């Protein structure tokens, strides 16, 4: 046991896994004792997340790939810079989600507290183990366990909506696992091994490589929610508790993205050009359709889930650009694109977790998820409103926040793609940049919709009018994540070199020269995030100074009253609604919105969601999770 507390990365990771599992089991056993069980779940989750953060930072500083057997646990781990990056992204958001969950669990029933605490801890343990897996068997088993934990968090409310969402997630997860088993079985047949280190040094035939990649892309794409493999995402994020939805978005789906990076750029050698083009097409489709469907949603968590799909597409634009750069022998393009994708993967976890936790606060204080019934929340929950505004601005890639930094890097990689010597690359570069710009415009509209309809105006129902600030732990977790969005954006010139080193380790190329010197972007179009921040902070002072200097005694102080309504008495019914805000786009893109109806006919959906199938899958999920836990402990 002394090696478990040595402070080495492998020891810290083993300690984190044990703490997650033991605290989950302990809190589950003592669930009837509200304060004790909440303290066990929360303290254990935060201690484990801190251990993973420290281990990830140590691996990033070390730089070398290490194969290690975890102390105490019979688990063969691969500690690489890429793995440490996803560990860092997951554990930072898990730390804040656990802090939020401490307050949430104190206000729910013992049954819900027991299931949510246990499954959240097991989910993070499984995802952490999946991220450091050294073989395909470990990876698939851990991802399957994580998907089953997610299923039980989705169906814990046990209403019709949750059961339908759980069934969609269960079927999608099993299909994804089956595709991964087929992909790695094919590689095992050709190489005789499923160990990642062995697979890296095997030369596969083009047919086996391509078939394995397509299967792996489908399997990991189902976990990541790539459109059209996304059916489980919106309903699941709306049905699960807010902190669980944040973990789905920032951890579970991101492991799927890292799986695509590992297979497409690491295990199978240099990809052919069509791999990169396929990923780019799926990426821009996912980003645009995700943003478009988000604008039509009134359920705030479903809206955020569709925006998660949008950002999954943006991350995949970086991954696809890197694969295309490798295929075209353009190392600067590959490095810039992968750097942008990995940096956005990290940034998205910060602002999306803040948004889900903020939405959870509103739901807890009002009992409402429908934005049509909210309004005026900013005056009643000011700290939550400020944190969500910052996170929304980051989601829309507004400077100087972190979303802007990573998306600007992505634009630079797409501009480099347009200068390629291959015609198809020159054609796709500008088209993809335009698609990314349209996606950004949709995200800006979502800022106006979510913040304007939810936080501004007057309350549209009594529950919204009676809202009070959320518990301190909830509010603090959201504010801290919003501050991290600001810090990682302003400090991006110093953070980006670390991500550039990770991209270089995956591609086996030198670290980008621009990143080494702390320039946030390409040498021809560098942008200083700190200077942008200073200018933006200074701009509001200019009108105030002008008013002070020129006002004199001519302008009286303003008087406040009801909003002007053309002479009529103002009422909440006059405030803009979410439906009215999005109606022009609904008309403009009506054919695209009708695709969902045609792709999922009512007869097929009704047959799929008959009672017997959901009940059968629920029993099957329980048996499968029990078997996997026995296998893991054995």
């Amino acid at each position: 046991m002394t090696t478990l507390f040595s402070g080495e990365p492998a020891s810290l990771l083993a300690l984190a896994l044990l703490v997650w599992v033991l605290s989950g089991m302990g809190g589950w056993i003592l669930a009837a004792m509200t304060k004790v069980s909440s303290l066990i779940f929360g303290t254990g989750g935060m201690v484990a997340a801190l251990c993973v953060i420290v281990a990830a930072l140590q691996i990033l500083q070390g730089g070398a790939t290490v194969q290690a057997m975890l102390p105490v646990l019979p688990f063969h781990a691969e500690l690489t810079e890429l793995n440490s990056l996803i560990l860092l992204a997951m554990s930072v958001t898990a730390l804040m989600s656990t802090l939020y969950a401490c307050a949430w669990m104190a206000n729910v029933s013992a049954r819900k507290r027991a299931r949510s605490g246990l499954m959240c801890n097991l989910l993070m343990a499984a995802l952490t183990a999946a991220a450091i897996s050294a073989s395909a068997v470990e990876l698939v088993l851990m991802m399957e366990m994580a998907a089953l934990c997610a299923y039980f968090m989705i169906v814990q409310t046990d209403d019709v909506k949750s059961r339908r969402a759980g069934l969609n997630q269960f079927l999608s997860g099993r299909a994804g696992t089956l595709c991964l088993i087929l992909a790695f079985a094919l590689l095992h047949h050709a190489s005789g091994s499923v160990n990642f280190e062995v697979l890296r040094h095997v030369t596969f035939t083009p047919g086996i490589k391509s078939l394995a990649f397509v299967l792996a892309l489908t399997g990991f794409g189902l976990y990541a929610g790539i459109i059209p493999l996304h059916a489980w995402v919106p309903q699941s994020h709306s049905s699960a508790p807010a902190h669980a939805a944040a973990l789905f978005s920032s951890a579970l789906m991101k492991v799927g993205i890292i799986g695509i990076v590992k297979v497409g750029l690491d295990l199978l050698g240099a990809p052919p050009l069509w791999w990169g083009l396929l990923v780019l097409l799926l990426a821009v489709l996912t980003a645009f359709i995700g943003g478009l469907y988000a604008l039509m949603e009134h359920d705030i968590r479903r809206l955020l889930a569709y925006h998660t799909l949008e950002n999954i597409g943006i991350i995949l634009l970086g991954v696809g650009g890197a694969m295309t750069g490798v295929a075209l022998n353009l190392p600067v393009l590959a490095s810039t694109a992968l750097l942008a994708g990995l940096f956005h993967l990290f940034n998205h976890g910060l602002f999306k977790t803040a948004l889900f936790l903020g939405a959870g606060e509103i739901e807890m204080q009002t009992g409402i998820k429908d934005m049509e019934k909210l309004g005026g929340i900013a005056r009643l929950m000011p700290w939550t409103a400020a944190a969500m505004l910052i996170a929304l601005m980051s989601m829309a890639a507004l400077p100087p926040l972190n979303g802007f930094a990573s998306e600007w890097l992505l634009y630079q990689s797409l501009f480099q793609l347009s200068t390629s010597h291959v015609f198809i690359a020159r054609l796709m570069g500008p088209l993809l940049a335009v698609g990314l710009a349209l996606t950004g415009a949709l995200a800006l509209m979502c800022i106006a919709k979510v913040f304007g309809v939810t936080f501004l105006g007057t309350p549209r129902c009594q529950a919204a009018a009676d809202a009070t600030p959320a518990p301190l732990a909830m509010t603090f977790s959201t504010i801290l994540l919003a501050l991290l969005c600001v810090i990682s954006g302003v400090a991006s010139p110093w953070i980006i070199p670390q991500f550039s080193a990770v991209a270089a380790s995956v591609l086996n190329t030198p670290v980008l020269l621009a990143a080494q010197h702390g320039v946030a972007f390409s040498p021809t179009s560098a942008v200083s995030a700190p200077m942008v921040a200073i200018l933006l902070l200074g701009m509001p002072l200019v009108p105030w100074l002008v008013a002070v200097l020129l006002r004199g005694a001519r302008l009286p102080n303003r008087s406040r009253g009801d909003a002007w309504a053309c002479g009529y008495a103002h009422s909440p019914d006059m405030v803009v609604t979410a439906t009215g805000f999005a109606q022009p786009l609904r008309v403009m893109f009506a054919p695209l919105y009708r695709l969902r109806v045609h792709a999922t006919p009512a007869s097929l959906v009704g047959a799929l969601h008959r009672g017997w199938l959901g009940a059968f899958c629920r029993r099957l999920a329980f048996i499968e999770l029990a078997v996997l836990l026995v296998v893991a402990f054995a």
Side-chain angles (χ1 to χ4, degrees), residues 532-541:
V532 171
I534 293 172
L535 292 175
L536 288 175
L537 289 173
M539 283 175 60
L541 297 177

Side-chain angles (χ1 to χ4, degrees), residues 104-153:
W104 178 85
M105 286 188 288
N107 294 278
V108 296
S109 65
R111 180 175 176 270
K112 184 175 288 190
R113 180 168 55 252
R115 177 180 290 186
S116 178
L118 175 61
M119 291 302 162
C120 276
N121 282 20
L122 289 180
L123 172 72
M124 285 311 303
L127 290 175
T128 300
I132 60 175
S133 297
S135 74
V137 174
E138 294 173 345
L139 174 63
V140 173
L141 286 177
M142 292 300 106
M143 291 195 70
E144 179 72 1
M145 186 183 297
L148 291 170
C149 292
Y151 167 80
F152 283 109
M153 282 189 286

Side-chain angles (χ1 to χ4, degrees), residues 56-65 80-85 261 331 334-340 342-343 409 492-519:
L57 292 175
Q58 289 181 0
I59 299 170
L60 283 172
Q61 291 177 353
T65 299
T80 67
E81 291 183 83
L82 179 64
N83 293 348
S84 65
L85 175 60
V261 175
S335 299
T336 307
L338 187 57
L339 164 60
L342 295 178
F343 193 28
L409 276 171
S492 57
W494 297 275
I495 297 175
I496 283 174
Q498 308 302 321
F499 287 84
S500 182
V502 177
S505 70
V506 174
L507 300 171
N508 292 318
T509 59
V511 177
L512 280 175
L513 184 63
Q516 285 179 321
H517 288 82
V519 177

